[in-house]
Amino acid sequence: MIDMQVAVVAVTLLLGAVGLGAGGVHFRNRLKRASREELGRLAAARAALGRGDLDEATRAIAPLIESQHDVIAGHAHAIHTSIAERRGDAQAMLASASWGLGRLSRAQGHAAAALRPELMAQRALALTLLDRRDEAAAELNFLTAGAYPTWERDLFRVRLVDLARAG
């Protein structure tokens, strides 16, 4: 009987160790640093966007949208949101901003904190363009005054579009 109890305890400890190991691998992957290639692609996409080359920017961020690094994926979605805005596609803006915020929901640190307001403002603009004024106002309420450098600009843009849509 004692041998059976020892065997059960040994198997339980083994399964616990395997579970901790798998959890550690998952945690390590979430904290993984962005590779130089990913950072280079982000820089290339931002440069292409600045030049107005939307196709090149789209190609540069395509593999980054599904990056294991949440902040990199969030940046890729922010760039994609800007591309959609320049193309006049409010639905794509809304979808990409929402996905980006979803990826950033589990990210921590300064980079994620700096990117969240940008995506929220883009989401509010997309909602305004889609005549979903109440949702846009609620999104803007999450953005506190002066919480990030471009708050006034983003608020102005959303309100201007809202006034233009209202006639």
Side-chain angles (χ1 to χ4, degrees):
M1 185 71 172
I2 292 179
D3 290 337
M4 181 63 121
Q5 289 174 342
V6 170
V8 168
V9 168
V11 168
T12 303
L13 288 175
L14 178 66
L15 289 175
V18 168
L20 284 174
V25 168
H26 176 71
F27 184 72
R28 183 195 56 146
N29 285 342
R30 285 192 50 206
L31 294 178
K32 174 183 131 176
R33 290 217 177 269
S35 71
R36 288 184 183 192
E37 177 189 348
E38 288 176 322
L39 293 173
R41 282 186 169 280
L42 272 180
R46 288 218 184 262
L49 184 63
R51 289 189 312 270
D53 189 350
L54 304 182
D55 294 332
E56 178 58 32
T58 302
R59 277 191 295 279
I61 63 163
L64 302 178
I65 296 285
E66 298 299 325
S67 173
Q68 286 186 3
H69 193 275
D70 292 327
V71 175
I72 292 292
H75 273 285
H77 281 288
I79 293 170
H80 188 262
T81 303
S82 295
I83 293 167
E85 178 186 354
R86 291 184 185 190
R87 288 187 170 146
D89 189 349
Q91 287 288 353
M93 280 178 70
L94 180 60
S96 196
S98 297
W99 275 101
L101 286 168
R103 288 300 299 268
L104 290 178
S105 67
R106 57 186 183 194
Q108 297 178 0
H110 298 295
L115 192 55
R116 276 187 195 100
E118 178 183 342
L119 285 167
M120 291 174 75
Q122 286 289 77
R123 184 172 152 70
L125 181 61
L127 288 166
T128 303
L129 288 167
L130 295 169
D131 289 326
R132 293 165 61 180
R133 300 173 75 195
D134 293 338
E135 293 172 78
E139 195 75 28
L140 285 176
N141 284 337
F142 285 112
L143 299 172
T144 53
Y148 65 103
T150 60
W151 179 78
E152 290 176 350
R153 180 206 66 183
D154 292 335
L155 183 64
F156 176 77
R157 288 175 70 208
V158 171
R159 287 187 177 163
L160 182 64
V161 168
D162 188 38
L163 289 171
R165 302 284 294 173

